[in-house]
Amino acid sequence: MAMETMAVELPDLNTLAPQPPAEETAEEKYERLLRRARSEDLSEVSGIGCLYQSGVDRLGRPVVVFIGKWFPITEIDLDKALLYLIKLLDPIVRGDYVIAYFHTLASSNNHPPFSWLKEVYTVLPYKYKKNLKAFYIVHPTFWTKMMTWWFTTFMAPAIKAKVHTLPGVEYLYSVMARDQLEVPAFVTEYDMTLSNLMSKKVCINNY
């Protein structure tokens, strides 16, 4: 009696092999970082006081202040710095807002690496760029002017027209009231020193 041959179906090896995880979308990455920002302890960054909201401008838009001198690149966890930035700004950027960056007395120890700036710009969703109405850079140096030009020309042309460099704090008072702008004493003291030097220079030239 002839034996019947049974067909054995072999499993598809492709289905058994581990599949690479699906690539995370930009929106998914931001939502993941936002969850981390809301749950993790970020006191290491918030305690430095380099980033905070300070009142509103004359159009009622929130003013976010960044103090460059208080951003110690070599001592801070840049991953946590990004999370704190997201935690602070996420509720603010749902509407129009402005940023005032003070480069007063900052040094190379306070200059964030370009790679980090690129990551921040890439991670933050469109609402951050769309609702940013002005970015003021106070007490700029050659470094800030070059970095700003490079970044807004090649990385962030959408915000180029929104960036304004200002030689002193008093120039901000045309767009925001004095009592709405809270900055460290060293910023205003430096501003006064510059004003005194300029006054003396004018007096000498007129003599």
Side-chain angles (χ1 to χ4, degrees):
M1 181 176 179
M3 296 182 62
E4 294 183 2
T5 303
M6 295 182 61
V8 179
E9 185 177 348
L10 297 176
D12 185 351
L13 295 180
N14 291 327
T15 63
L16 297 179
Q19 299 297 311
E23 186 174 351
E24 189 177 40
T25 66
E27 183 178 353
E28 289 171 342
K29 182 175 183 179
Y30 178 76
E31 289 300 324
R32 175 172 57 80
L33 291 174
L34 181 58
R35 289 193 296 271
R36 285 184 57 195
R38 290 170 173 169
S39 62
E40 294 187 17
D41 179 14
L42 303 176
S43 56
E44 170 191 339
V45 183
S46 62
I48 296 174
C50 63
L51 183 68
Y52 55 91
Q53 182 186 346
S54 177
V56 296
D57 68 3
R58 296 190 185 278
L59 296 178
R61 303 175 297 198
V63 178
V64 177
V65 172
F66 187 88
I67 307 297
K69 188 176 186 296
W70 287 354
F71 191 61
I73 292 299
T74 57
E75 303 171 18
I76 196 171
D77 184 333
L78 291 178
D79 183 48
K80 287 187 177 294
L82 173 58
L83 293 179
Y84 179 68
L85 184 148
I86 290 174
K87 181 179 181 179
L88 177 72
L89 292 187
D90 186 75
I92 295 175
V93 302
R94 295 170 187 173
D96 296 347
Y97 71 106
V98 301
I99 294 178
Y101 168 66
F102 293 85
H103 195 64
T104 318
L105 300 177
S107 68
S108 58
N109 293 326
N110 309 117
H111 296 168
F114 184 79
S115 58
W116 186 75
L117 293 176
K118 181 180 178 181
E119 178 188 5
V120 171
Y121 188 80
T122 303
V123 164
L124 300 182
Y126 178 64
K127 63 182 179 180
Y128 280 77
K129 296 92 169 178
K130 175 179 177 291
N131 294 332
L132 173 66
K133 298 308 175 185
F135 192 112
Y136 302 104
I137 302 175
V138 183
H139 299 142
T141 61
F142 178 77
W143 180 86
T144 54
K145 291 178 180 178
M146 285 299 297
M147 281 295 293
T148 301
W149 175 83
W150 176 268
F151 191 75
T152 57
T153 299
F154 298 105
M155 285 300 304
I159 67 170
K160 189 168 188 174
K162 303 177 182 182
V163 178
H164 311 277
T165 56
L166 305 175
V169 181
E170 70 273 12
Y171 294 91
L172 280 174
Y173 297 144
S174 63
V175 294
M176 61 188 73
R178 289 175 181 267
D179 62 357
Q180 293 294 311
L181 183 63
E182 182 180 350
V183 293
F186 76 84
V187 173
T188 51
E189 290 169 358
Y190 180 79
D191 220 45
M192 291 175 63
T193 301
L194 287 182
S195 297
N196 291 336
L197 289 174
M198 289 299 296
S199 297
K200 290 180 180 178
K201 184 177 180 179
V202 170
C203 290
I204 292 173
N205 290 338
N206 292 337
Y207 182 70

